[in-house]
Amino acid sequence: MTITIGGQAGAGGHEIGAEVSRKLGLPLVRTLAIRKLARRLDASVDAVVRKELAFGSKRVRFANALEYGLYRSAMYGWDPHLAVDFGFWSDSDSTKRYLPDQISTDEYRDAFYATSEDLRKMGDTVVVKRAGCLSLNDSPGVVHVGIFAPREQRERRLAKRLQVGAGEAARLVRRFDNDRRAWFSKLAGTEPEDRNLYDIVLDVDHAKSDSEIADSIVRESIQVKYGDEAHPIGAY
């Protein structure tokens, strides 16, 4: 079976997803999904990531617009060497898109949903990616898991994961939450906190380890997929 794991920033989706993958012996898909998206858009991974961030941040959109203006000036005769030096443009691959403003929202949306077919072809996997519950929502046999946690707990986890201070972690949680809501709104007219998007919703707290939470996901996912026909797993 395929399990998608999403949820709030800092709630532990990446770590818990890795545990679920290990326990079930299924491939873990994380960065591969965004590389496939970049390939469909003929764009760099950096451009795709910054396109996603720009959905929710005026500051990022403004910075992207300034950089795109510089890129266009370089392309049309204003010191093209400057553009190459800054990595905005490559003589060896001038067709690839390196700036987020070169990707329209409609193009991005179409490519995002098209990657669903790529993920389906991979077979049984554990998919940890933003909005996996949207891109695979019409696929039979896929179980969507949403992970939620108190803000303070998410800030502590992000501080540890990113090696930043408490204040910076709090700022990042606010920004990630805002970006994620804007991104869901642009893609599907919904919000990530809508629990109806998920087959399984877990409100986690620090009392349980990532391994224990992964155990719960494995048990509940098997029950969701197989119902009364599910058999206990002796060991996984």
Side-chain angles (χ1 to χ4, degrees), residues 6 21 56 134:
S21 169
L134 297 180

Side-chain angles (χ1 to χ4, degrees), residues 24 62 83 134 137-138 145 147-148 163 168 183 190 226 230 236:
L24 287 175
F62 180 67
L134 297 180
N137 63 355
D138 60 345
V145 179
I147 300 177
F148 298 82
Q163 297 296 300
E168 178 67 7
W183 194 75
T190 186
Y226 298 106
Y236 46 80

Side-chain angles (χ1 to χ4, degrees), residues 43-75:
S44 68
V45 170
D46 179 65
V48 173
V49 171
R50 289 168 60 200
K51 178 69 178 179
E52 293 179 357
L53 292 175
F55 286 150
S57 171
K58 292 180 180 178
R59 182 165 54 188
V60 171
R61 288 197 297 271
F62 180 67
N64 287 341
L66 287 179
E67 189 172 289
Y68 185 58
L70 175 59
Y71 171 87
R72 297 295 293 175
S73 297
M75 288 290 287

Side-chain angles (χ1 to χ4, degrees), residues 162-208:
L162 302 178
Q163 297 296 300
V164 297
E168 178 67 7
R171 187 186 69 81
L172 287 172
V173 165
R174 288 193 299 271
R175 177 181 170 183
F176 291 157
D177 284 350
N178 290 336
D179 288 341
R180 194 160 167 265
R181 291 189 191 103
W183 194 75
F184 267 72
S185 177
K186 282 281 188 181
L187 279 180
T190 186
E191 58 183 33
E193 290 83 7
D194 182 358
R195 299 191 172 208
N196 293 318
L197 295 173
Y198 311 99
D199 300 301
I200 299 170
V201 174
L202 294 179
D203 291 287
V204 302
D205 59 54
H206 63 275
K208 289 186 176 181

